[in-house]
Structures are given as structure tokens and as C-alpha cells.
Amino acid sequence: MATELTPLLRRKFEEYDHQEALAWLTSLDERVNWLNQTNNGAASSLNIEELFDLGHFDALIWKMRQHVCPVGRNSGDTPYATGEAIETWLSYMEDDLRDVIWSQQEATGQKSEGISRFTDTLRENDAVVTFNYDTLVERSISQADKPWQYGFKTENGQGTMVLKMHGSINWAIVPRGQVDNFGYPVLFRKEDQNTREATGEPAGETEYDYVLLHIPDNKLASRIKNRFLQMSNKQYGIGIAGLGRYKPLDAIPGSGRVWHNAGRALYQAKEIETVASLVQLIRCRRGPRAGCRG
């Protein structure tokens, strides 16, 4: 799925007629293809992580070219300006990525028989480890009228743990002081014994300055469809990561909790099942006394 998403993102840019961004994407493809053909004659097929990672690196290269440019950063069409433009396009692509995943998920709809068969076998003390951004597994478990959780201490602690290793399209990253403006359930909010909440001063630490929220299903569609109305005053980030150096895993508050739980689930599992037909789904079947909330 990671490779399939890349051309869908390109089509989004074509819809918006982002000519400069499309020209840059074409240039990036050509350079990667040239490198691959030099090695083995095969054309490249960038997956999402590679696209964002190489894009981030390309922006850095352009900014370094500014070091040998005879004018300042803001003196017109400079290498630094190009690097900043690439970073802007990548931020647009991150937003578009959620749109694309949502569209693919809605197109799948009730037709995902493979996921249904998988979730039908789940027990309450199982854990599902997945690198997918969509919410098809959660939706399928809910439709089967089974309890589930993301494995954070703020939840009720009951049901199958769905451990989203790279985050999820229904997670929102918001500044600590703006949580009440959303009214969404809190998944992760770090408490620091050495920091007084009353000061309201940022600590300069992502895991403390930001809070991870769970966007309910009945709000997610409107959040995505009205994204352009929200972009002028964007107050939250999308809770997905694993996009190479552009957005590493620690950019999601609470990601350490997810990975900790996944490690314990795999270690304590009596049975591990990898679903080949569904990308990156792993079921960890634990004994009745095993736990991995940490």
C-alpha cells in the first residue's frame, strides 16, 4: 500500500495544478530512476516513506547551496527559497496523504472481507500490531461489537489493543493549551513532575508541549472534507509519522508508549500471526494473565 499511495498523491497535486511542485516531483523521480538504472537497470517506485525522506533531504541540499550563493536568502529566487518551497510542498503532501488514505478506506468500505475474517478471530486480550494509517481494523472490530483500545493509559484498558506503530489518520496532535478547544478524547498527555502546569510555558519538548487526541469517527470525515477551510488557521497536526527524516516517529506524542506496548506484546505472545493478504497486520495472542499496558 505504501507504494500505491505515491501516484495517488501525485494525482492530488495534478488536481490542484501545482505546476512547480509537479516539476519538482518529476525531477526527483528522474534523479532516483537514474541512480537505480545505474545500479541495476530498474526504474524506481518510491514508497511514501522514501518520497518524504528524499524530499526532506532534497530541501536540505538546496538550503546548503545557499552557502555558496552570492546573495542573501531572501534576495529573490535563491537556493534557500527553493528549499523552503520544497518543505511547503511536503507539508501539503502530508495533508493530502490523509485525504488519499481516507478515500481509499471509504472505497474499501464493507468490501474488506479479509480484514473482517481477521478481526472475527480476535480475542479481548489479543494485540494487533500494524503500520497502516487507516482505521479499517478499528472499524471492523467495532462492527463485530468487540471492545478495543489503542493501549494508552487514558483509555478504559479493556479490549483488543490496536497498536498503530506509525500513527493513525484519526489522531490529532494539538498544542497543550488548546486541548479544550477540540473536545476530543485524550490519548496521551505527558505529566512532568518538574514542570508546573500553571506556568503555561512550553518546555521545548514535543512529548510535553503537545497532546495526542482521538478524533471520533463521526468527526473525522468533516475534519478531512473541510481541511482547506482550516488550513488558514491550522491548530493541529496529523498524527501520522514514519515518513523518514521528514517526520520521524518521535514527532507523535506518546509514540514511545505504543512501541513499548508492541514490544511487550510480541515478547509475551503465545502465538503470533502475520496476515499476508493484509499489509503489515500482526496478531499477538497472549495468555490470560499476560498484559502489556506498561
Side-chain angles (χ1 to χ4, degrees):
M1 184 176 180
T3 303
E4 295 171 0
L5 291 174
T6 305
L8 295 176
L9 270 181
R10 181 185 290 275
R11 284 179 212 160
K12 274 283 185 183
F13 268 40
E14 291 172 350
E15 290 175 14
Y16 305 147
D17 198 27
H18 289 166
Q19 293 301 321
E20 288 184 314
L22 286 169
W24 168 72
L25 276 174
T26 299
S27 170
L28 185 65
D29 275 342
E30 289 174 348
R31 283 175 280 161
V32 173
N33 285 341
W34 180 83
L35 287 172
N36 282 350
Q37 289 169 357
T38 300
N39 292 329
N40 55 27
S44 73
S45 181
L46 293 177
N47 63 36
I48 287 298
E49 181 176 349
E50 292 170 333
L51 176 61
F52 278 91
D53 191 51
L54 290 174
H56 176 71
F57 180 72
D58 206 29
L60 293 179
I61 291 296
W62 277 100
K63 287 187 173 183
M64 285 193 293
R65 290 178 180 174
Q66 183 66 39
H67 296 186
V68 294
C69 181
V71 296
R73 293 180 177 182
N74 300 319
S75 300
D77 188 14
T78 62
Y80 193 88
T82 300
E84 287 196 318
I86 293 173
E87 290 177 342
T88 299
W89 298 332
L90 288 172
S91 70
Y92 291 161
M93 289 175 67
E94 183 185 353
D95 286 331
D96 290 340
L97 177 59
R98 185 176 64 170
D99 295 1
V100 166
I101 294 170
W102 174 258
S103 297
Q104 290 292 96
Q105 174 172 311
E106 291 304 286
T108 301
Q110 305 298 325
K111 300 178 182 179
S112 184
E113 297 179 0
I115 292 180
S116 296
R117 287 195 299 270
F118 173 76
T119 55
D120 284 345
T121 66
L122 291 175
R123 301 173 185 171
E124 186 170 342
N125 63 342
D126 286 345
V128 177
V129 179
T130 175
F131 292 86
N132 293 351
Y133 298 125
D134 61 64
T135 61
L136 288 172
V137 171
E138 299 97 300
R139 177 185 294 182
S140 183
I141 298 175
S142 295
Q143 289 173 345
D145 201 25
K146 296 180 179 181
W148 63 272
Q149 54 168 314
Y150 283 125
F152 292 98
K153 289 185 176 181
T154 54
E155 299 173 286
N156 59 22
Q158 297 178 349
T160 300
M161 277 200 298
V162 180
L163 302 170
K164 310 293 286 283
M165 308 297 281
H166 282 179
S168 187
I169 60 170
N170 63 338
W171 291 1
I173 302 171
V174 304
R176 194 177 187 88
Q178 297 180 15
V179 173
D180 294 339
N181 297 339
F182 290 84
Y184 298 156
V186 173
L187 289 176
F188 180 85
R189 173 165 43 198
K190 181 179 178 179
E191 304 302 333
D192 188 340
Q193 296 179 358
N194 296 323
T195 302
R196 290 193 306 168
E197 188 81 23
T199 64
E201 293 294 327
E205 302 171 358
T206 299
E207 65 275 16
Y208 181 82
D209 293 338
Y210 294 88
V211 176
L212 187 65
L213 303 182
H214 177 195
I215 305 176
D217 288 347
N218 61 344
K219 301 289 186 181
L220 182 59
S222 62
R223 274 283 172 190
I224 292 175
K225 292 177 182 177
N226 297 326
R227 174 166 64 83
F228 287 105
L229 298 177
Q230 303 160 15
M231 285 183 69
S232 60
N233 187 27
K234 190 172 182 179
Q235 297 295 321
Y236 74 100
I238 305 168
I240 60 177
L243 299 175
R245 286 162 290 184
Y246 167 77
K247 192 173 183 182
L249 297 174
D250 65 350
I252 300 180
S255 59
R257 171 67 59 186
V258 176
W259 281 74
H260 172 78
N261 286 340
R264 291 192 64 181
L266 290 167
Y267 177 76
Q268 296 178 345
K270 296 177 62 178
E271 175 185 334
I272 297 176
E273 176 186 355
T274 302
V275 184
S277 60
L278 303 172
V279 179
Q280 300 167 327
L281 283 181
I282 302 172
R283 183 187 69 190
C284 304
R285 175 139 293 163
R286 294 171 283 155
R289 295 183 181 178
C292 59
R293 287 186 56 76

